[in-house]
């Protein structure tokens, strides 16, 4: 079980959190004309990389904030956690 | 039976307390502090079970967690527990145990015939022998294997015992209370660290319990006792015996099973049987010691062959002689320690040492005691079937390839020592890449991966002085890092006998012309020849050899067999062991009961149960409940001996004819506030929300970004910047997270707050043609006429002095209202509705009637919004705005979603108007078509239409819009039904929706 530092609450066990996917994915702006390919990439295409991964988690059994976690997908090492509006 | 093998003046058992127990139906006695193994050995019992494959007789090989074969079925307090290690299970009064894997009895076992048919059972025998013909597998091979193989029997009874889970945090977790564990715990605790010391045995001290050493002016055992006593009294230390740390997970999370009551005849009141600890440690000290390695020779699985360290432990801890004519077979000095203990207790052992001329203090002591020592000697084969009776021994050449003349010597046990294997499981589980240490022919931990430090024998350090020194230092350094304290304790003087190098030789060659089985894995019956076959057949990876031969795959996970297996592969392959590598160590280190893992989360405790404020009323009025997610909802209110079908039909009819009331508290509710609330709704729902006036509700559909319908519900504008959203019961939590995601991550510029209010409001849906009359009586001050409160209107009022929200919304398709009050007043509201509703013939209705009402109205719900359908499929395309953008809109342009013959929801009526169509039935054109019969669609929901008094179903069917009027066949192979049906509109009742607006 991972030990994750919520940027708002501090160190907590993984069972208080929910995983939320790749944090680098940007939703296309509303009302913007985009190609099928662009939209398809946004909806379906995710890197499944080995190594450092910036991802979203939500502290569902805590402050309910979504935040960013930089984690090694192979070793589970967590390098950094950031608030939603912070960049690495 | 008398205890012929028990000595008078030695051992740590409590001789004042006799304990009687039964093994295979026969009565024995032992003492408090005995294990089943020590007590049986004291009684001279060596035959304990049969082996897995060949059903060869099995005795005791070890004395603890490493035991590969002395396992039994245990009976305790009415429960039956399989695969209990006799070397670990402590005796309690009335204990009963039976052998496993033998039939009809341990002395006459039919499966032993496998031993003579061994041609059929070589390495990979499962894969080879039972492959063909295919039809034989199910009826012949599998039942045969199941009967003949397998160990204990799992109980099918519900486990009445209580197990619990506990979370703990500490600075240092120390896994094992031998010299390294005690020293590091003591110096860290003295330096102010919060320490947990875990010992899997009942007794603390590890090797100090049996070794002849002095620490300071005390014996090793006394020193251990004093340290433990002191640690137990320190407030910053938790000391636990019978507690095995069995798993090392990410971020220094370790898991430990504590056996609280297994050694008692019965679990005490208010106490659990076992407890699972989740321990998050800042630093971990792995002080798990080492396990002696077997030497491999012919028939080395015969009962009476055992580890020399086990023989020593039985003697020194339990006062039990494992034999009176022991043969000690060793390649290192450890065997001498056992021999010396025998000699001191009046038994004359013979030592066979594979080494030519070793010299050390221990060997000198043995010589001085006049012990018969034969150097350059080996055991070739053990003789005796159910017990060792003698051994063929021989001199071995210096290159260890040639055997001299075979001699037969009488003996009643053979104690073997093939040197020591560090217990590196936890270090390896933490991610530590282990390295091979040539000096000890074994793997030791490499560079630490997590915050773990391995000390003592587990790290390949076999002298006490070095172990204690390293451990005192480590305990101090590790604790200093955490506490910043600087209290260092002085290091005691250690007196121990020096030993010399071990011999790398471990596998005795076969004499010419002999085919004795030489076993590596005693539990799974894997012999040297099996590994040889696997290699001959081309298996190279050690992981493949393991699976093909099943080496190390039994319940002991190869604690005694792995390393010898590796050495064998490396010898044959002419490689060095580190190139072969070892197989992966996975948790649990030793078997853990399922009960411990599950803990308190059993039966109705496996998840929370949520009840509405009206639950007691429902109970009192004979509600039959159904699980709706974690909620309990009334399915119907049973009158007399009504069935579900009859009861729900009565309730639904009453809604259509008079008025009904349904508890809708479980619906998800989200309170939405902020100046941008309308904008948020406009983006998450498919329809337009910017112009919804205050005091109005609107139905909305939400999509995922991939265009699939996620949820539906109504949202009401309470005031300018305040909305009340409802979701389906099942999706409530997901929708809240969904909204939070878009507000916090995607559109943080929107000024909106969302919060769940599901539990804050109790809800009652009042539906039926007489609902208006009832609601008017409940709220005499409010105008609830069609003009005063039109369809989708909202008003607040007072229900007999209680604040209430009144929504004119309908799920049943009837004229209907939904009343919400604060949860605490829910029951009051409900009772008032029932009381005032009497004159309108009100009846409560449950989820079954609710389903009937919505199905015959063609309202889609969870069974249609199943995560595979888009708005069009549910005939909700009218809800999709063409003008504005929203979540998932772009996906609706996908080709498949726009296809002309896209699936769509329709109604289905059986032609005979009698036969109910099972949900999940497939719709096909021709019941007799060639298989696979092309499927056009499926039945998503079925009910008995109370409006028309015949069965009615909803279906999702390809090209649904052109299917109305078609005659098809509904087939349910599961229910064995073939029903001719007609496709009709999904809006079976009131297709124009006039009633809700009336
Ligand atoms: Zn938090």
């Amino acid at each position: 079980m991972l030990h994750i530092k919520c940027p708002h609450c501090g160190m907590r066990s993984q069972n208080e959190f929910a995983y939320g996917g790749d944090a680098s994915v940007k939703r296309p702006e509303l009302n913007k004309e985009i190609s099928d390919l662009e939209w398809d990439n946004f909806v379906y295409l995710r890197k499944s990389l080995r190594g450092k991964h910036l991802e979203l988690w939500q502290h569902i059994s805590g402050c309910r904030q979504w935040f960013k976690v930089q984690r090694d997908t192979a070793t589970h090492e967590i390098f950094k956690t950031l608030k939603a509006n912070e960049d690495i | 039976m008398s205890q012929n093998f028990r000595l008078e003046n030695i051992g740590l058992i409590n001789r004042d307390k006799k304990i009687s127990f039964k093994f295979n139906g026969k009565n024995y006695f032992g003492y408090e502090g005995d294990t089943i193994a020590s007590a049986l050995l004291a009684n001279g019992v060596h035959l304990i079970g049969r082996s897995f494959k060949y059903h060869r007789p099995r005795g005791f090989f070890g004395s603890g967690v490493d035991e590969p074969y002395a396992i039994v079925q245990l009976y305790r307090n009415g429960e039956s527990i399989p695969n209990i290690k006799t070397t670990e299970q402590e005796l309690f009064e009335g204990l009963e145990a039976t052998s496993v894997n033998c039939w009809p009895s341990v002395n006459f076992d039919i499966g032993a015939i496998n031993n003579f048919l061994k041609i059929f059972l070589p390495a990979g025998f499962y894969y080879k022998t039972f492959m063909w013909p295919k039809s034989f597998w199910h009826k012949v091979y599998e039942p045969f294997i199941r009967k003949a193989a397998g160990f204990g029997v799992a109980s099918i009874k519900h486990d009445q015992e209580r197990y619990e889970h506990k979370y703990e945090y500490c600075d240092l977790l120390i896994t094992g209370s031998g010299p390294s564990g005690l020293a590091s715990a003591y110096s860290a605790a003295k330096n102010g660290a919060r320490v947990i010391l875990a010992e899997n045995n009942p007794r603390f001290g590890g090797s100090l319990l049996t070794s002849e050493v002095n620490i300071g002016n005390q014996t090793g055992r006394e020193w251990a006792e004093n340290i433990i006593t002191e640690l137990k009294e320190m407030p910053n230390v938790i000391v636990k015996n019978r507690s095995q740390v069995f798993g090392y997970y990410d971020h220094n999370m370790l898991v430990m099973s504590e056996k609280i009551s297994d050694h008692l005849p019965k679990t005490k009141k208010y106490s659990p049987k076992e407890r699972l600890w989740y321990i998050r440690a800042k630093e971990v000290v792995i002080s798990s010691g080492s396990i002696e390695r077997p030497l491999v020779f012919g028939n080395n699985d015969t009962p009476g062959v055992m580890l020399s360290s086990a023989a020593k432990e039985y003697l020194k801890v339990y006062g039990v002689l494992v034999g009176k004519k022991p043969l000690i077979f060793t390649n290192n000095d450890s065997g001498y320690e056992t021999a010396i203990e025998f000699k001191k207790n009046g038994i004359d052992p013979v030592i066979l040492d594979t080494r030519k001329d070793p010299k050390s203090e221990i060997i000198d002591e043995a010589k001085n005691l006049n012990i018969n020592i034969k150097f350059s000697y080996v055991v070739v084969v053990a003789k005796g079937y159910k017990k060792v009776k003698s051994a063929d021994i021989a001199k071995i050449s210096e290159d260890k390839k040639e055997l001299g003349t075979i001699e037969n010597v009488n003996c009643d046990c053979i104690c073997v020592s093939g040197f020591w294997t560090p217990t590196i499981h936890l270090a390896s589980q933490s991610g530590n890449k282990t390295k091979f240490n040539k000096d000890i022919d074994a793997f030791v931990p490499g560079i630490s991966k997590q915050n773990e430090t391995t000390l003592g024998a587990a790290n390949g350090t076999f002298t006490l002085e070095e172990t204690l020194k390293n451990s005192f230092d480590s305990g101090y350094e590790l604790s200093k890092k955490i506490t910043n304290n600087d209290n260092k304790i002085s290091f005691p003087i250690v007196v121990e006998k020096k030993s010399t190098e071990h011999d790398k030789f471990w596998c005795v060659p076969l004499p010419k012309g002999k085919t004795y089985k030489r076993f590596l894995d005693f539990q799974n019956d894997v012999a040297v020849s099996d590994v040889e076959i696997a290699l001959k057949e081309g298996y190279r990876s050690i992981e493949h050899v393991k699976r093909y031969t099943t080496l190390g795959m039994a319940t002991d996970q190869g604690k005694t067999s792995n390393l010898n297996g590796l050495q064998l592969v490396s010898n044959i392959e002419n490689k060095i062991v580190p190139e072969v590598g070892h197989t992966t160590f996975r948790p649990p280190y030793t078997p853990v009961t399922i009960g411990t893992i599950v803990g308190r989360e059993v039966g109705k405790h496996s998840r929370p149960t949520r009840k509405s404020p009206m639950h007691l009323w429902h109970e009192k009025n004979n509600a039959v409940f159904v699980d709706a997610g974690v909620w309990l909802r009334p399915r119907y209110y049973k009158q007399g001996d009504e069935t579900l079908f009859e009861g729900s039909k009565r309730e639904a009819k009453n809604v259509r004819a008079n008025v009904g009331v349904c508890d809708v508290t479980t619906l998800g509710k989200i309170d939405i506030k902020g100046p941008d609330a309308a904008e948020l709704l406009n983006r998450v729902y498919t329809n337009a929300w910017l112009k919804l006036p205050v005091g109005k509700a609107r139905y909305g559909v939400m999509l995922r970004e991939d265009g699939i319908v996620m949820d539906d519900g109504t949202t009401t504008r309470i005031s300018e910047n305040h909305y009340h959203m409802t979701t389906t019961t099942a999706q409530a939590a997901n929708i809240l997270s969904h909204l939070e995601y878009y507000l916090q991550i995607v559109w943080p510029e929107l000024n909106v707050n969302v919060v769940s209010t599901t539990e804050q409001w109790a809800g009652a849906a009042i539906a039926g043609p007489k609902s208006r009359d009832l609601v008017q009586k409940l709220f005499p001050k409010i105008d609830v006429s069609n003009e005063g409160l039109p369809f989708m209107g909202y008003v607040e009022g007072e229900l007999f002095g209680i604040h209430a929200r009144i929504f004119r919304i309908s799920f049943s398709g009837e004229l209907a209202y939904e009343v919400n009050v604060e949860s605490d007043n829910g029951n009051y509201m409900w009772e008032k509705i029932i009381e005032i509703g009497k004159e309108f013939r009100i009846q409560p209705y449950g989820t079954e009637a609710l389903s009937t009402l919505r199905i015959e109205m063609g309202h889609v719900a969870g069974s249609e919004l199943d995560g595979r359908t888009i708005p069009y499929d549910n005939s909700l395309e009218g809800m999709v705005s063409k003008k504005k953008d929203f979540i998932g809109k772009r996906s609706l342009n996908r080709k498949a979603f726009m296809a002309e013959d896209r699936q769509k929801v329709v109604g289905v009526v059986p032609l005979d108007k009698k036969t109910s169509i099972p949900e999940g039935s497939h719709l096909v054109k021709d019941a007799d078509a060639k298989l696979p019969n092309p499927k056009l669609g499926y039945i998503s929901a079925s009910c008995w239409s109370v409006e028309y008094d015949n069965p009615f179903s909803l279906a999702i069917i390809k090209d649904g819009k052109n299917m109305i009027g078609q005659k098809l066949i509904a087939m349910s192979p599961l229910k064995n039904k073939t029903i001719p049906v007609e496709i009709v509109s999904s809006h079976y009742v009131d297709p124009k929706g006039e009633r809700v607006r009336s």
Side-chain angles (χ1 to χ4, degrees), chain A residues 1-3 13 15 27 30-31 34-36 39 43-44 56 58 64-66 75-76 78 84, chain B residues 167 250-251 253 280 449 683 705-706 736-737 740-741 744-747 885-887 890-891 894:
Chain A
M1 201 184 324
L2 307 185
H3 211 202
S13 271
N15 47 3
R27 190 191 191 280
L30 288 167
N31 300 307
I34 57 166
S35 68
D36 283 353
W39 181 256
V43 176
Y44 298 106
L56 291 171
Q58 188 187 14
R64 295 211 55 94
Q65 293 299 302
W66 287 82
T75 65
H76 289 315
I78 291 177
Chain B
Y167 289 79
D250 294 308
H251 298 183
M253 156 76 86
R280 188 81 70 176
K449 179 75 208 303
R683 293 180 186 187
E705 292 285 18
D706 63 1
L736 184 66
S737 264
E740 286 166 335
Y741 170 78
Q744 294 172 26
I745 300 292
V746 185
W747 304 311
D885 199 0
F886 54 84
I887 293 170
R890 182 66 178 78
S891 290
R894 282 177 58 183

Side-chain angles (χ1 to χ4, degrees), chain B residues 924-935 971:
Chain B
V924 298
K925 275 219 169 77
D926 175 8
D928 304 316
K930 213 181 122 215
L931 295 174
N933 195 343
K935 179 182 98 170
M971 294 187 79

Side-chain angles (χ1 to χ4, degrees), chain A residues 6-10 12 16-17 59-65 67:
Chain A
C6 169
H8 308 277
C9 308
R12 294 288 192 280
E16 291 188 14
F17 299 90
H59 196 185
I60 47 166
S61 301
C63 62
R64 295 211 55 94
Q65 293 299 302
F67 62 97

Side-chain angles (χ1 to χ4, degrees), chain B residues 372-383:
Chain B
N372 182 0
I373 310 172
K374 290 170 179 287
F375 293 107
S376 292
Y377 252 84
V378 295
V379 174
V380 176
V381 63
K383 298 274 178 170

